[in-house]
Amino acid sequence: MPDIITLKALCEELKVDPREAREKLRAAVSDAKANPELAKARKPRAPWQWVKGSAAEKEARRVLSK
């Protein structure tokens, strides 16, 4: 089973408030042209989580570090 990184762990690592992080991620997912992997990985009503090292995780890190 691949390693999973959750939004909580990512927020702790990047020192970002989880509420603000979710707002940023929702905005990023709505722009599928700029963040195609993030939009593809998002499932409605599912927790924010990604496979470690995936393209979607890299996009999430980029969005949250802005």
Side-chain angles (χ1 to χ4, degrees):
M1 187 170 139
D3 288 337
I4 299 290
I5 186 162
T6 62
L7 179 63
K8 182 179 178 182
L10 204 55
C11 287
E12 288 173 1
E13 184 181 322
L14 299 174
K15 295 177 178 51
V16 178
D17 178 50
R19 180 174 285 173
E20 291 176 14
R22 286 190 301 272
E23 289 175 9
K24 287 180 178 181
L25 287 170
R26 280 193 294 267
V29 166
S30 67
D31 185 11
K33 281 188 179 178
N35 307 295
E37 293 299 321
L38 198 57
K40 228 185 298 180
R42 180 66 183 144
K43 305 279 187 281
R45 298 205 176 266
W48 290 98
Q49 58 187 19
W50 306 272
V51 175
K52 276 192 179 180
S54 69
E57 182 209 354
K58 289 180 181 121
E59 283 186 6
R61 283 182 185 278
R62 184 176 47 77
V63 166
L64 295 178
S65 61
K66 283 184 183 176

